[in-house]
Amino acid sequence: MKVKTGYLEVIAGPMFSGKTEELIRRLKRAAIGKKKVQVFKHKIDSRYGSEKKLFSHNGMSFDSEIIEKSSEILNCLDKKTEIVGVDEAQWFGDELLPVVQALLKKHKKVIVSGLAMTFDRQPFAPLPTLMAMADGVTKLSAICTICGDDAVFHKRITKGKTVDSTVADPSLVGKFDAYEARCRRCWKK
Ligand SMILES: [Zn+2]
């Protein structure tokens, strides 16, 4: 029998790149394989209402638990859980890192999705560190709103209430028309 070990997969990219869709696809495969799965999302991610589910833009969904702090993942963890999913990991900040380390020590498979960059093109913690730690990284791109090329960035095109791009702006969460996917060339336009 194979020795069990922790395994970290990271799905990163800009807005509109299908990160949640890819996370849900992997979680559904695990569920079909009769693996015990637990999924967490941050309370702030209230798009499409505050239901206890992940939703992708293309209409897929998967049951999730809503938490405010990443330490709740360890408190809520079922002993039988084999796979732990975390969506929109950027809202948890660096506090998520020791939690992921603890899950890996417990030999869990951890699948994390989140924004690699902020809307003003700064690395968005904790994704850069998670990508460095991961066994596997999937970097997704969106489609540039202006030229149609692959877009690895997103840009805020509406003025928000917050200036800090690493903090969720309560006036803009879930407002997808406040942002656009942009390629490197078109980002400044
Ligand atoms: Zn472009």
Side-chain angles (χ1 to χ4, degrees), residues 25-37:
R25 191 185 72 83
R26 293 184 195 185
L27 296 172
K28 281 189 190 270
R29 287 173 62 91
I32 290 166
K34 303 268 190 292
K35 305 279 186 200
K36 167 88 176 138
V37 178

Side-chain angles (χ1 to χ4, degrees), residues 144 146-149 183 185-186:
C144 178
I146 292 180
C147 75
D149 280 353
C183 72
R185 192 178 51 241
C186 298

Side-chain angles (χ1 to χ4, degrees), residues 38-85:
Q38 265 185 289
V39 188
F40 298 91
K41 71 171 185 178
H42 198 283
K43 198 180 163 197
I44 202 147
D45 187 35
S46 60
R47 58 176 156 183
Y48 317 118
S50 56
E51 270 187 86
K52 290 182 171 178
K53 275 177 188 291
L54 305 184
F55 291 99
S56 69
H57 291 289
N58 71 346
M60 292 204 299
S61 68
F62 198 93
D63 286 346
S64 74
E65 296 168 55
I66 298 174
I67 55 171
E68 265 188 285
K69 283 188 158 201
S70 41
S71 56
E72 292 171 55
I73 293 174
L74 298 173
N75 297 337
C76 299
L77 197 67
D78 187 307
K79 269 192 182 149
K80 289 183 189 144
T81 294
E82 295 159 90
I83 298 176
V84 178

Side-chain angles (χ1 to χ4, degrees), residues 139-150:
K139 187 110 188 279
L140 298 174
S141 58
I143 296 163
C144 178
T145 315
I146 292 180
C147 75
D149 280 353
D150 284 349

